[in-house]
Amino acid sequence: MKTKQALNPYLPSWEYVPDAEPHIVDGRVYIYGSHDVFNGINFCLGDYVCWSAPVDDLGNWTYHGVIFRREQDPAAPRIKVTNGLAAPDMVVGPDGRYYLYYFMGGTKMISIAVCDEPAGKYEFYDYVQYKDGTPIGKRNEPFQFDPGCLKDDDGRLYLYTGFAFGGNPILLDGSQPTKHGPMYFEIDTTDMKTVISGDELHYIGVLTGEEAKGTPYEEQPFGEASSMRKFNGKYYFIYSSLNSHNLCYAVSDSPTEGFQYGGILVSCGDIGLPGVPDTEHAHNDTGNTHGSLIEINGKYYIFYHRHSNRKQSSRQACAEEIRFENGQFYQAEMTSCGLNGGPLAGKGHYPTYMACNVYGKAGTKFLSMIKRSKKDTPYLTQKGSDREEGPDQFVSNFCTGCTVAFKYFDLRETTKIRVNLQGYGTNCDVVIRKDENGPVICRIPVRTCRNEHGFTGTFDCVFGEKEALYFSIEGKGTYDFISFDLA
């Protein structure tokens, strides 16, 4: 039974879990991902944590705490800043135990931890290895990274890895990126660690680099973030392309070969949707993204992550319902109501961290580890360094010429709105539209307020059951946009 509305990001705003792999165990969706630290100087600096929600109540997430600490891995390098715990995946072994396959920077190997429960305290187990005991990654193979797992219907277990970005010397640590796309290894399920597909490397045919030119993969060549799922007897390989801001897929009748390019699943800047042809027109600052597909109660969802705090390393978990027809997925739009099963209620209190499009008159950028300039740029952030003891995330630098959008609401009975702000302005109005460049449907005069203050307006339009709200500032002003109330 649904008890709470689901928002994006679907975890609390103090949590930063990118690269999420969703899996259903006993009627609950469990999320296995990396763990960023707010304002961290690099990716993946936190220990692994786990969250779960009932499949029929996807707004009601439970925190299970830390499930695995970096220091539990015997190969953990002394330097943490460049050697965090990266994207994991989980699979259930024939013994009923839960195996977490993961990568740690500075090791070049794929590690394994194991637990008797899906979200319990995992213990280090071993490294994925060839029959002679040599860990994969230690024979000068292409860089092993971002493991994805598939236990097929016949019980066979496959592990997928790969990294095709050649310009990352710190991460590659002397290794070479893959020139032939993602690799696969069949793993012996009697010990869950030994490669039984032989010492020769095997590639699934999702192309990258020079090999992708002149093929359907040319525009979206493989980059990283391997994930494999199976629907209706077909195998769907999910990956982040060399464009980095999007997740794409390829499809085959086999888990190991014959993959044909399928299309884009989601972009963290909505790039590829109508009216958003390229990064220059993106609806958010972008960066890398990583995630996977899952079916829940007959609906399909794409899990991915977005960026906050004007840099790449404060990433948050999002998900969208995605259209799936005749074996084909169609690109999902970023929304504020991703897992909700429909538009949000037209009455109630809403935090602005659920904004799905945030951009200013300075445009958007592909973010780096160095914070983007604040000039003319609204952005998602928090106050303080400890998320759990601070207030909710909010939109800062809500300034002249910016746009902050929320999608979607059922507003058929909505007549009033209050915007809750804190900041400075001269002759400023908050203006609201239903469409990005449409007519103004509400104009709310606002003034300087050193502390959070609410300003109320009335809508001048007829609403439908699925509406977006676009907020902008007219006049000279800069505010923290904290929340809004619909009535």
Side-chain angles (χ1 to χ4, degrees), residues 266-289:
V266 71
S267 161
C268 61
D270 273 344
I271 299 164
L273 292 177
V276 196
D278 49 37
T279 53
E280 183 179 348
H281 298 86
H283 283 172
N284 294 289
D285 283 340
T286 54
N288 64 23
T289 198

Side-chain angles (χ1 to χ4, degrees), residues 79 103 248 303 358:
I79 299 174
F103 172 83
C248 304
F303 283 67
V358 180

Side-chain angles (χ1 to χ4, degrees), residues 122-139:
Y122 281 72
E123 298 294 334
F124 177 79
Y125 175 55
D126 212 329
Y127 304 101
V128 178
Q129 56 198 251
Y130 298 104
K131 288 183 178 180
D132 67 359
T134 304
I136 64 171
K138 292 297 188 178
R139 290 183 174 174

